[in-house]
Amino acid sequence: MMGTGNSGFSEAGLRRLRAVLGRHVDSGKIPGLVALVGRGEETHVEALGTMRHDGGAPMRRDTIFRMASTSKPLTVAPVMILLDECRLRLDDLVEQWLPELADRQVLKRPDSPLDDTVPARRPITVRDLLTSTFGLGMDLTAMSYPIMGKVFELELTGHGGPVPGPDEWMRRLGTLPLMHQPGEHWQYHISIDVLGVLVARVTGRPFEEFLRERVLDPLGMKDTGLHVPADKIDRLPPSYAPDPETGEFTVWDEAEGGLYSQPREFQSAANDVASTVDDYHAYFRMLLNGGMHGGERILSRPAVELMTTNRLTPEQNAARTAMARDSVHVGFGQGQQGGWGIGMAVRTYRGDYAPIGQFGWDGGTGTTAYADPHNQLTGILLTQVGLSVPDPARLIHDFWTTLYQAIDN
């Protein structure tokens, strides 16, 4: 464990980190980035490159980025608050708030036709949603299965396009069978959006409003939300999804008039946060501090421990291992850490330079944020280049490899 360090990072290590990040920007494949590394009281930020691929305004420390799936570790906090306050219990049946999920049918096999089902063996619980094991989700190993086609057809993944409001979204979800029996199988993404709807229904308020009052405002996360207000939209770069064949920069989402320029009908807890490195640092530091921020308690210590330690049995985790194996082209994250807590990955074995216990997640828009209790370390790297090409994944990998070498014990 680290001692009473004033020593956070070595000067030489930080120089190397900056050089490695700079190399990616100079290559022309990453127009710009903002990186933050924090350890104890020491924080360093690098803002390199430009907002647009063809130049324009420079990246700044307060540039706002689309977090994509890096939203997930943040947006589960409101559910943990409701658990802390006994307004929800881990083994409560969700159907009292989400009647659309009562009396589920389950596919006989994940690749079965949608009408080839058996009844669910038991109802879905809050615990099933928190551990992403309620029976339905994104599955990169199952993209050709009828159920996955239907999930996309019904616009249940919240990626881009028009997404119905929460009640209609839940109604559509309720028309589908589950892929797996509740509690048996980890599956990605959809459970986090269901949790967002659950929070709204338990509190009787829009998800973002409760998130802001109980998490964002107390942490001073003034530039974080599920859309970007007009007076800040100039701080949001375009989001690129480069052509996988040619690498040509293609705009996936423009700032002005784009997906984040106004509140959406469906507030996707899984996908829709926009934020800055300093705001995310405040959140992850709170987790490292066992739920405290300054003198104020945001989450209980046991709630933080529940979120940031592995929640999956080996059987439940088999799906994550398969997803990692079948999506190695993604190049980071997906399942390589071993475990999953609540809304985030948790390292249960040492597969790279990061130690056991590191927690956080990555996003398809080229974002990454993890904290490491062993070294009291936070790292956040935000770009505007999506993972349609390998370059941002390689950058993320190099960021973590170099950051861990910069630790000055």
Side-chain angles (χ1 to χ4, degrees):
M1 301 292 284
M2 69 175 279
T4 58
N6 297 327
S7 58
F9 304 98
S10 73
E11 284 303 319
L14 290 171
R15 278 198 303 275
R16 269 194 76 213
L17 177 63
R18 183 186 173 89
V20 166
L21 297 176
R23 207 158 67 215
H24 281 273
V25 172
D26 293 343
S27 75
K29 300 291 180 64
I30 305 290
L33 61 85
V34 183
L36 180 148
V37 298
R39 192 169 181 225
E41 295 306 306
E42 197 176 334
T43 306
H44 295 270
V45 176
E46 300 287 354
L48 305 176
T50 53
M51 300 269 279
R52 306 190 70 91
H53 83 90
D54 47 4
M59 283 288 182
R60 301 190 336 202
R61 182 169 180 157
D62 68 352
T63 295
I64 297 170
F65 291 86
R66 301 161 189 79
M67 301 303 286
S69 284
T70 312
S71 303
K72 291 173 168 74
L74 169 67
T75 54
V76 292
V79 195
M80 305 311 292
I81 289 168
L82 295 176
L83 285 176
D84 276 344
E85 296 180 348
C86 301
R87 296 165 76 180
L88 280 176
R89 298 178 196 90
L90 285 167
D91 293 309
D92 278 344
L93 306 188
V94 298
E95 58 199 46
Q96 56 186 303
W97 300 284
L98 306 170
E100 300 91 341
L101 294 182
D103 305 318
R104 294 293 76 203
Q105 291 288 310
V106 184
L107 295 175
K108 285 183 185 166
R109 298 180 2 170
D111 60 352
S112 287
L114 296 184
D115 57 359
D116 184 28
T117 62
V118 295
R121 289 187 204 118
R122 64 164 178 79
I124 295 167
T125 65
V126 173
R127 186 189 301 272
D128 298 328
L129 290 178
L130 285 169
T131 54
S132 295
T133 60
F134 85 102
L136 196 58
M138 300 280 291
D139 190 335
L140 297 179
T141 66
M143 285 312 197
S144 61
Y145 297 176
I147 184 75
M148 276 293 107
K150 200 69 180 169
V151 162
F152 284 102
E153 183 190 319
L154 293 177
E155 296 167 336
L156 294 174
T157 62
H159 286 279
V163 180
D167 292 343
E168 170 63 11
W169 187 87
M170 281 304 306
R171 187 196 68 75
R172 293 184 192 184
L173 188 67
T175 66
L176 295 178
L178 303 178
M179 284 178 75
H180 299 279
Q181 288 287 343
E184 286 192 357
H185 220 75
W186 181 89
Q187 284 189 289
Y188 189 51
H189 188 78
I190 290 176
S191 59
I192 308 293
D193 274 340
V194 180
L195 287 171
V197 179
L198 179 66
V199 167
R201 290 195 179 169
V202 171
T203 61
R205 301 164 65 187
F207 173 75
E208 183 175 19
E209 192 179 292
F210 188 74
L211 174 72
R212 184 167 304 287
E213 182 187 299
R214 300 300 302 274
V215 182
L216 304 181
D217 285 352
L219 288 171
M221 296 173 69
K222 61 186 186 307
D223 291 326
T224 302
L226 297 176
H227 78 287
V228 180
D231 61 347
K232 296 181 180 181
I233 200 83
D234 61 318
R235 288 161 54 192
L236 181 74
S239 182
Y240 297 105
D243 184 298
E245 302 299 316
T246 65
E248 182 190 348
F249 281 99
T250 305
V251 174
W252 172 71
D253 182 42
E254 208 35 280
E256 295 275 352
L259 290 170
Y260 286 76
S261 62
Q262 56 206 20
R264 280 169 274 198
E265 202 180 350
F266 184 76
Q267 301 180 337
S268 172
N271 214 50
D272 283 355
V273 171
S275 191
T276 64
V277 288
D278 283 298
D279 278 12
Y280 250 61
H281 187 213
Y283 180 70
F284 276 85
R285 277 191 71 171
M286 178 272 292
L287 295 180
L288 283 178
N289 290 333
M292 292 294 288
H293 174 74
E296 188 173 356
R297 181 159 289 289
I298 310 295
L299 291 167
S300 71
R301 181 175 291 279
V304 173
E305 288 169 354
L306 203 58
M307 293 165 73
T308 60
T309 53
N310 179 46
R311 300 267 60 77
L312 300 182
T313 65
E315 294 78 14
Q316 290 169 334
N317 204 32
R320 258 176 71 65
T321 312
M323 191 160 102
R325 185 189 63 231
D326 292 353
S327 64
V328 285
H329 66 282
V330 173
F332 73 90
Q334 303 276 24
Q336 304 286 346
Q337 300 92 341
W340 189 261
I342 294 174
M344 64 187 92
V346 180
R347 286 188 190 272
T348 54
Y349 65 90
R350 184 134 196 174
D352 56 31
Y353 283 25
I356 289 170
Q358 185 207 43
F359 57 81
W361 197 225
D362 311 277
T365 46
T367 59
T368 184
Y370 287 81
D372 164 2
H374 177 74
N375 293 296
Q376 287 297 299
L377 170 81
T378 306
I380 300 158
L381 171 68
L382 307 179
T383 79
Q384 80 278 60
V385 184
L387 292 171
S388 53
V389 288
D391 307 291
R394 290 171 179 155
L395 164 63
I396 288 168
H397 186 276
D398 294 352
F399 169 69
W400 288 109
T401 300
T402 319
L403 172 52
Y404 270 102
Q405 295 173 64
I407 294 173
D408 185 12
N409 285 316

